[in-house]
Amino acid sequence: RLFEGRDAPRLEAAAEAEAAATAAAVAAGQDATLAKSSSASKRSINLALSHRGLCAMRRVDPSLAERVLAEAVPMRGRVIHGKDGGLTLQPYGTAAEEVLYSIGRQRVNVVLLEELRAAEALPTGSPGAVTATFGAKLKYASPDGSTQFDTPAGPVTVGPGRVLGCDGAFSATRKAMGRMSRLSVSLQYIEHGYKEMCMPAGPGGAYRMPPEGLHIWPGSEVMLIALPNPDGSFTCTVFGDFAVLDSLQTPEQVESFFGSRWPDSLRLIPDLASQYLANPSGALSTVKCGPWHLGGKFLLMGDAAHGVVPFYGQGMNCALEDCLALDDSLDVCGDHWPTALPHYYKTRKPATDALAELALDNYVEMRDRTVSVLFAVKSRLDRALAGLLPRGRWQPSLHTAVSFTSMPYHQARATCEWQDRLLSRVAGAAALSAAAAALVAALRMRSRS
């Protein structure tokens, strides 16, 4: 059984937008509820689907991945905006297939709702059949896996059984587990938040910027990014210290702030100031807890177990990869859940802890290092070495190892740290050799004089 706290389906659009979507869907002979979910306002940062998430979808159903990709826009790299309006592409990978896919959260919701609807249509008790209850709130849980929910139809009691808590950073399942065990939980906010805006499509639905990249307007105290949507628009997000974001209170202040840092943003987003002032600021946090399991009956997954800030674009990919990791642990442990859940936690926790740190580090990279000459030189050197050596022997970048391989996150970080140390030693040796050669040449010149 599936219990979902949100309404069926998740509807976040204004009432008039819902009515318009419903009318359009009915006129086209489509499912009105899914259409309303599809047209919901873009109130969350676009998702960046990559290798790990696609692997998980393909293990379940290869066609599921293809349906999601049909709604996505491929991004080959970061597109850095200069103050003069110039654009610089920094490719993500070295192979044509090494791209990220930009997709709106609401579109992923629609595809998953369609999958759920198909599972609900199966005969009760048959493999893959699901009974879904929306608008449900977890009120009680016991160690044997029994649970009680408040639902629109009244209280519902389920179990004993197994409970998978996939209910987000503010997980009610995690809270219930904390009342039954010594569960350690950390929810840490960072001092920076975000505001979201939309860059509309140009005339005829054309993109106002090249759509094949994640656009970044870097800055030391604030950063603006934009991810493409299939309709020609871009979902834009400005990140910065809350003190900076909240200091802009008038259209004049907003336009002066953006115009002095990223002049082209005012041209590309004509109503930037009004959107900025109308949209709320969002907070960003990291969730860590442990253990994720209780007695072979309860397991936390996704953000409920390990929420991360969005700067690596790995939140959804990591959560989907959780499913692969659990499936693998069940295989290793012969489908014995009391053994498989501790195994899953022990093997998966180091990776998710590493991702939490990587996501915070990548914020600094996107904001500051992407305009560094040293960063650009090192990136070219890593890519050159990756091209010279057999595939997989040298990672072109940490971003490549994280986004385009199945290497556990902590192993990806360790591999690239080893590469950096090796390059530093080689560079140091080369510098010492050059200095020695210069000294010998100087001594010879002196002896001749």
Side-chain angles (χ1 to χ4, degrees):
R1 294 197 62 172
L2 169 69
F3 289 89
E4 166 62 56
R6 295 166 293 189
D7 291 334
R10 184 181 184 185
L11 304 177
E12 293 184 342
E16 58 271 20
E18 287 188 15
T22 302
V26 171
Q30 300 170 350
D31 187 312
T33 58
L34 295 185
K36 287 190 283 185
S37 178
S38 170
S39 64
S41 300
K42 299 182 180 115
R43 294 185 184 176
S44 57
I45 302 163
N46 270 32
L47 301 170
L49 181 61
S50 59
H51 171 81
R52 297 173 194 269
L54 289 169
C55 285
M57 290 183 183
R58 285 168 177 152
R59 183 180 293 189
V60 174
D61 179 0
S63 69
L64 173 60
E66 298 313 309
R67 292 201 300 277
V68 172
L69 288 178
E71 303 278 354
V73 180
M75 301 183 294
R76 294 193 297 117
R78 297 165 173 162
V79 179
I80 310 302
H81 287 242
K83 263 196 169 185
D84 60 356
L87 305 179
T88 304
L89 176 66
Q90 297 178 352
Y92 284 133
T94 56
E97 68 273 13
E98 291 178 341
V99 298
L100 303 183
Y101 294 92
S102 171
I103 184 167
R105 195 175 303 260
Q106 74 281 3
R107 293 308 307 163
V108 175
N109 284 345
V110 168
V111 173
L112 295 179
L113 284 166
E114 290 169 345
E115 288 293 304
L116 174 61
R117 185 148 297 172
E120 287 183 292
L122 296 173
T124 302
S126 63
V130 175
T131 299
T133 303
F134 289 89
K137 306 296 181 185
L138 178 64
K139 304 306 284 186
Y140 171 79
S142 64
D144 67 355
S146 298
T147 53
Q148 185 179 84
F149 294 86
D150 283 346
T151 77
V156 174
T157 300
V158 182
R162 300 188 188 100
V163 179
L164 300 183
C166 310
D167 47 346
F170 301 98
S171 169
T173 310
R174 188 179 67 225
K175 185 176 180 180
M177 287 172 61
R179 289 193 288 263
M180 296 183 285
S181 66
R182 295 184 297 276
L183 175 65
S184 298
V185 181
S186 166
L187 192 155
Q188 185 173 2
Y189 288 94
I190 66 172
E191 295 181 355
H192 287 216
Y194 70 95
K195 279 180 177 282
E196 189 160 296
M197 298 174 289
C198 179
M199 180 187 300
Y207 288 101
R208 294 172 181 262
M209 306 184 298
E212 65 268 19
L214 187 158
H215 290 254
I216 301 176
W217 291 258
S220 59
E221 59 180 0
V222 286
M223 173 182 72
L224 177 65
I225 68 170
L227 281 76
N229 298 306
D231 63 359
S233 67
F234 284 81
T235 299
C236 306
T237 312
V238 58
F239 298 94
D241 192 298
F242 276 108
V244 176
L245 297 182
D246 294 342
S247 69
L248 307 179
Q249 296 292 321
T250 68
E252 293 75 21
Q253 289 175 335
V254 173
E255 291 177 358
S256 174
F257 184 87
F258 280 78
S260 64
R261 288 162 176 78
W262 315 304
D264 62 337
S265 65
L266 297 177
R267 171 179 55 82
L268 293 166
I269 312 174
D271 59 343
L272 187 153
S274 60
Q275 286 196 57
Y276 184 95
L277 296 173
N279 293 341
S281 296
L284 301 167
S285 64
T286 297
V287 174
K288 293 182 180 180
C289 68
W292 300 340
H293 58 91
L294 176 61
K297 295 293 186 179
F298 288 82
L299 179 66
L300 300 172
M301 301 180 73
D303 284 356
H306 48 74
V308 297
V309 294
F311 303 113
Y312 232 119
Q314 284 294 305
M316 173 182 67
N317 294 289
C318 181
L320 292 172
E321 192 179 52
D322 280 355
C323 302
L324 285 184
L326 176 59
D327 192 41
D328 290 341
S329 290
L330 286 167
D331 284 343
V332 168
C333 299
D335 289 333
H336 185 249
W337 284 73
T339 306
L341 298 192
H343 179 274
Y344 166 74
Y345 174 68
K346 181 179 180 180
T347 55
R348 187 66 172 154
K349 184 72 159 65
T352 60
D353 283 351
L355 177 60
E357 297 168 5
L358 289 169
L360 289 168
D361 291 344
N362 205 49
Y363 183 29
V364 178
E365 180 173 306
M366 295 171 69
R367 198 180 62 200
D368 298 331
R369 296 179 197 146
T370 51
V371 293
S372 163
V373 174
L374 182 61
F375 176 84
V377 170
K378 183 181 178 302
S379 296
R380 286 195 290 270
L381 177 59
D382 277 326
R383 289 169 64 84
L385 288 170
L388 291 171
L389 296 171
R391 185 169 179 83
R393 293 292 298 274
W394 191 274
Q395 292 299 323
S397 69
L398 177 58
H399 199 287
T400 297
V402 167
S403 299
F404 306 127
T405 78
S406 296
M407 195 184 310
Y409 294 113
H410 59 299
Q411 292 183 17
R413 180 176 63 180
T415 297
C416 292
E417 287 175 346
W418 175 84
Q419 291 181 180
D420 290 346
R421 288 194 299 271
L422 180 59
L423 286 179
S424 294
R425 287 196 294 270
V426 171
L432 183 61
S433 298
L439 178 60
V440 169
L443 291 173
R444 287 180 176 175
M445 290 289 291
R446 182 176 181 182
S447 63
R448 290 173 184 172
S449 62

